[in-house]
Amino acid sequence: MLSCDEILVELSKYLDDEAAASLRRDVEAHLATCRTCSVLLDSTRKTLKIVTDSRSFDLPESLSERMIESIMKSVQSDPAGEK
Amino acid sequence: MSYFQEVDPGPSFEALQRLREGFGVLPNLYRAQTLLPRLIEAETRLVEVVLLRAGVLTRLQKESILLGVSAARGNVYCATLHGRALGTLGMTEEAIERLTGTDPAAGLPSGEAALLELARGLIIRSASPRLSDIEALHAGGFEDTAILEAVLVTALGEFLCVLSIGLGVEPDFAPRSVKPPRRPGSQEKAPGGEEVGPWLRGAGTTVEALPPFAFFRDRFGFVPGLYRAQTLLPEVVGAEAHLLDTVLVREDVLARERKERLLVAVSSASRNAYCVAVHSELLRNLGADEESVDRIAIDYRSAGLAPEDRALLEFALTLTNDADGFSRQDIDALRREGLGETQVLEAVVATALTRFLNTLQAGLGTVPDFALRRAVAEEMMNRKHPAATLTKKEGTIRAPAGEDEDDPWVQRVRAGDTQAFEILLRRHHRRIYRTLMGITLNHADAEDGAQNTFLKAFQHIGEFEGTSRFTTWLTRIAINEGVQRLRRRRETESLDTVGGAGSEDEGEFRPGDLRDWADDPEEQYSQAERRALVEKELRRLPAKYRLTILLRDIERLSTSDAAAAMDLGEATFKTRLSRARLMLRDALAPHFVRRDGRVTNA
């Protein structure tokens, strides 16, 4: 049986579906009996969904073309590019 | 003659005259839309710039593509119309019949055969062209403008086919028989696979001033990449903007929101992730909440729509997926839900327009303007095509592993093609900006840092050996750039552990808040509020933890790519990621815990 500490270590592997079948079974067996870890796992999964969909740090759309234009300008005038 | 009443739009309506001149006859397809002359006018403009007006391709080449599309779709109305046009242009009956047969490319010069295959691939398999297809066209003497025209003509062919089915029009001449080709089974994987475009050049970088872009900025709030990809033909972009304005934006018949829902549902059924992402964004901008927008993309029946709105989507999906089964009964079903004749007519045209955009996007292979929300992306990945008449590949959803889709462009840049660098730049600039924001937390640093990152990548692309993916290499440059900027700002953070093998000896991390979270925690806040909350808490995390979350959970890099970008072993990366996620969970918990005191049966 895994301990709660071990669950914390394996948490990401489990959430990312990267856990081998045996580990997955062990984690699920632990979750069935441990309320603390169940809450942690459930809330971490919800955290990931919120974070993934949050569009955090997105480039403002109005700046996107300006950035492309300015980078292409510097690339085109770059002497190192004349290979 | 069709499902719709024909009325006389009056002598001042000159679009019909232009069509009559262009086709040598006024096609029934347009007679059937006289209840809403503005639709005819906008469609005429598109037909003129794509088909009737002289372009790089000849009318004969374009009509050949259209006949090939009609045959691939088994569409008698359109095959009759385009077969007649080819006869008028001097093509022999034998050659016309060959185009509708089982091996239409037989006997054609290799360039023209490649053109026809491109069109048929798009229609039959919805397969985006591969770089090798484009190269074959270049070799056959077709430049990017010609290829863009061919994709546009193919999309127009799809548009006309869907229209003819939805309007129920009879052929204008003695009907031409067509034998539709065998459709690939739903399990059959379309070729093309992991490669994604765009393969065609835009007209350059200074296209912001293109007049039709004003429409997209005003009405969409941004200019989707799909339209930027067509700047070689500005008049076409203008006609498309006008058609979108007329069919989608105007609200005198059907409300905009109902039509945007239709675009999302039809694009989703066509497994066109790009169009789903754009029109989901537009729906959200109209005030629809995220969950309901997602539901429309995933399964509109569960979206809690009013019966008449559900019926509208059902109608559009039948028209999209079941060309042979669609009949007057489908029109009547919609009328029974209380929709008027002009509303049904507009729904037909909106569905045809969606398929035009889907086909165009698949042909141009533009990269998404927005990431699909995770739930929708996963659903679309798993989706089998409903009642498959057409088998769709995965659209623009990026494959998690496999070949590096940037490689063809990297090779071109290495060979001295500076313009090819713009493609790489367009694909990755948002990602690189976010990565730099995640490290420096400062817009000016992120913007300058992105500039330096791409310039360095360009200068050193000869040293990129292809042992990692191009994105990983690029991200690594960006991380170095960001760390140097932090150093210059003399931040006190443990910079040496942002990337590289830092120690993980800060002791155990103990999660604090162990209260249950709400069932749908995100529903308590708006999108903007959630973004503000997540950004605020990410800012408080130490940089090295923030970066793991950013690369893995926001950029969605694979564990091995993210670890490689941070110069960490996978095991170390995973340990750090677990801790980072738990820290962020703790920080967000007070905002998302269950308020009703119930206990989750986890």
Side-chain angles (χ1 to χ4, degrees):
Chain A
M1 192 70 156
L2 293 172
S3 69
C4 292
D5 283 349
E6 286 167 312
I7 294 288
L8 287 190
V9 173
E10 306 297 354
L11 182 88
S12 277
K13 235 187 254 175
Y14 181 77
L15 286 174
D16 290 341
D17 228 352
E18 290 174 358
S22 59
L23 174 60
R24 174 159 290 274
R25 271 197 305 278
D26 290 349
V27 171
E28 278 158 12
H30 179 102
L31 293 178
T33 60
C34 178
R35 173 139 188 90
T36 303
C37 287
S38 299
V39 170
L40 267 182
L41 199 90
D42 173 69
S43 53
T44 308
R45 182 178 281 131
K46 287 170 177 165
T47 298
L48 297 190
K49 184 164 184 300
I50 290 166
V51 169
T52 299
D53 292 340
S54 70
R55 304 188 212 172
S56 289
F57 302 135
D58 262 1
L59 176 67
E61 188 55 34
S62 56
L63 300 182
S64 165
E65 281 305 308
R66 195 181 80 190
M67 181 184 278
I68 287 171
E69 205 169 305
S70 133
I71 293 175
M72 279 313 285
K73 217 173 269 167
S74 68
V75 161
Q76 272 152 353
S77 64
D78 177 51
E82 315 278 311
K83 342 174 234 254
Chain B
M1 206 153 63
S2 80
Y3 302 142
F4 297 88
Q5 214 193 120
E6 188 181 335
V7 297
D8 183 1
S12 63
F13 185 68
E14 34 82 57
L16 294 180
Q17 186 52 33
R18 278 148 61 198
L19 287 165
R20 197 176 275 120
E21 280 163 21
F23 285 98
V25 59
L26 176 60
N28 291 334
L29 197 66
Y30 299 102
R31 292 180 193 275
Q33 300 179 67
T34 44
L35 282 173
L36 287 172
R38 65 175 159 86
L39 298 180
I40 302 177
E41 189 272 327
E43 289 170 32
T44 302
R45 218 168 120 182
L46 185 73
V47 164
E48 282 176 336
V49 293
V50 172
L51 175 65
L52 303 180
R53 196 169 300 171
V56 178
L57 297 181
T58 63
R59 177 81 185 266
L60 190 88
Q61 286 169 322
K62 290 177 183 175
E63 291 285 355
S64 301
I65 293 174
L66 287 169
L67 183 58
V69 167
S70 312
R73 270 214 151 250
N75 187 299
V76 173
Y77 177 85
C78 291
T80 305
L81 184 67
H82 303 303
R84 177 68 163 232
L86 284 167
T88 312
L89 290 164
M91 189 179 270
T92 63
E93 181 56 31
E94 192 193 345
I96 296 172
E97 268 182 22
R98 197 180 307 127
L99 281 174
T100 61
T102 47
D103 190 9
L108 292 177
S110 67
E112 311 232 335
L115 213 54
L116 195 61
E117 278 313 310
L118 171 83
R120 285 167 48 87
L122 270 172
I123 297 300
I124 298 173
R125 297 187 301 274
S126 202
S128 291
R130 286 167 294 184
L131 185 57
S132 54
D133 298 333
I134 301 295
E135 283 167 351
L137 284 163
H138 285 159
F142 294 104
E143 295 299 326
D144 282 358
T145 308
I147 300 170
L148 174 57
E149 282 184 10
V151 172
L152 279 161
V153 170
T154 307
L156 178 68
E158 174 76 8
F159 182 72
L160 299 177
C161 285
V162 176
L163 268 186
S164 70
I165 300 157
L167 300 172
V169 282
E170 310 254 307
D172 300 290
F173 309 100
R176 177 175 293 281
S177 71
V178 285
K179 297 175 242 13
R182 190 183 69 87
R183 300 232 179 258
S186 62
Q187 296 303 312
E188 211 166 305
K189 197 174 175 340
E194 326 309 338
E195 291 182 54
V196 288
W199 307 130
L200 303 183
R201 261 329 121 56
T205 52
T206 52
V207 293
E208 280 310 287
L210 202 68
F213 282 179
F215 162 81
F216 293 104
R217 273 191 293 267
D218 287 355
R219 299 298 183 163
F220 284 21
F222 62 101
V223 185
L226 179 58
Y227 306 97
R228 296 184 186 281
Q230 303 176 67
T231 45
L232 287 173
L233 297 171
E235 285 194 318
V236 172
V237 182
E240 287 166 354
H242 181 56
L243 188 62
L244 284 164
D245 195 21
T246 309
V247 177
L248 182 64
V249 176
R250 271 189 64 159
E251 305 213 75
D252 53 345
V253 175
L254 284 173
R256 168 96 185 261
E257 193 175 351
R258 300 177 89 176
K259 290 182 278 194
E260 291 286 0
R261 280 199 292 260
L262 187 153
L263 261 79
V264 170
V266 169
S267 299
S268 173
S270 304
R271 291 171 72 177
N272 189 300
Y274 177 92
C275 293
V276 170
V278 168
H279 292 279
S280 295
E281 174 74 9
L282 294 174
L283 253 182
R284 287 192 287 268
N285 292 347
L286 290 172
D289 71 274
E290 302 218 332
E291 199 60 34
S292 77
V293 176
D294 289 355
R295 300 279 8 139
I296 288 162
I298 293 168
D299 176 16
Y300 72 93
R301 291 177 204 84
S302 68
L305 296 173
E308 63 272 24
D309 286 328
R310 252 177 72 160
L312 187 65
L313 298 186
E314 202 167 299
F315 173 87
L317 292 180
T318 307
L319 181 52
T320 306
N321 289 326
D322 188 11
D324 296 331
F326 186 88
S327 70
R328 186 181 286 278
Q329 290 181 355
D330 294 288
I331 305 267
D332 293 342
L334 215 44
R335 300 294 303 274
R336 275 199 301 278
E337 291 293 342
L339 274 83
E341 195 168 1
T342 52
Q343 291 182 312
V344 182
L345 174 59
E346 201 174 62
V348 169
V349 178
T351 306
L353 173 64
T354 310
R355 288 297 306 148
F356 172 81
L357 298 175
N358 293 164
T359 308
L360 185 59
Q361 192 280 326
L364 299 179
T366 47
V367 291
D369 303 290
F370 305 97
L372 273 183
R373 304 217 319 138
R374 183 179 263 190
V376 178
E378 281 168 4
E379 177 65 26
M380 288 191 69
M381 290 272 213
N382 296 330
R383 170 166 299 183
K384 292 210 178 64
H385 197 262
T389 56
L390 295 175
T391 302
K392 308 291 180 181
K393 77 179 197 89
E394 302 300 342
T396 46
I397 296 173
R398 189 177 297 267
E403 261 176 56
D404 189 344
E405 61 270 30
D406 290 323
D407 191 55
W409 297 105
V410 172
Q411 296 307 332
R412 282 207 197 179
V413 177
R414 286 173 70 136
D417 181 353
T418 305
Q419 273 312 114
F421 192 70
E422 186 179 334
I423 306 277
L424 295 170
L425 177 58
R426 283 191 182 276
R427 279 188 184 169
H428 300 301
H429 73 292
R430 291 185 175 84
R431 168 196 295 278
I432 293 303
Y433 173 86
R434 280 192 300 259
T435 302
L436 281 154
M437 268 305 283
I439 299 170
T440 64
L441 297 176
N442 170 300
H443 167 71
D445 272 329
E447 202 174 26
D448 290 354
Q451 172 107 18
N452 280 349
T453 299
F454 280 103
L455 190 57
K456 278 185 194 155
F458 180 74
Q459 288 165 340
H460 297 282
I461 203 158
E463 295 156 33
F464 170 63
E465 288 165 352
T467 48
S468 69
R469 293 161 85 82
F470 176 72
T471 41
T472 310
W473 184 70
L474 192 64
T475 306
R476 198 179 288 157
I477 299 177
I479 292 173
N480 285 336
E481 178 69 28
V483 169
Q484 279 176 22
R485 280 173 184 271
L486 276 190
R487 281 211 183 102
R488 248 174 271 151
R489 273 167 30 192
R490 297 164 207 256
E491 304 258 323
T492 50
E493 270 186 295
S494 49
L495 302 170
D496 48 336
T497 54
V498 170
S503 61
E504 299 294 320
D505 58 358
E506 292 91 323
E508 298 280 295
F509 174 75
R510 288 271 143 222
D513 195 327
L514 289 172
R515 286 175 289 174
D516 271 325
W517 279 34
D519 285 336
D520 294 300
E522 63 274 22
E523 280 178 7
Q524 306 164 22
Y525 301 92
S526 72
Q527 166 71 35
E529 287 167 338
R530 285 198 302 269
R531 174 174 174 165
L533 264 177
V534 170
E535 284 190 6
K536 185 177 103 192
E537 297 305 341
L538 277 174
R539 280 171 186 275
R540 290 184 178 165
L541 284 189
K544 65 177 187 176
Y545 293 119
R546 188 165 66 230
L547 192 57
T548 56
I549 298 233
L550 200 89
L551 296 181
R552 186 73 182 94
D553 294 323
I554 295 184
E555 299 308 329
R556 315 261 318 262
L557 297 187
S558 70
T559 302
S560 66
D561 284 351
M566 289 180 72
D567 258 332
L568 292 175
E570 280 195 38
T572 312
F573 178 84
K574 280 186 196 170
T575 308
R576 201 180 278 185
L577 179 65
S578 288
R579 173 170 302 191
R581 286 170 167 177
L582 286 169
M583 289 165 97
L584 188 61
R585 187 211 75 92
D586 259 25
L588 292 175
H591 305 284
F592 293 106
V593 291
R594 190 179 272 286
R595 310 259 174 230
D596 56 13
R598 283 198 299 132
V599 171
T600 310
N601 304 314

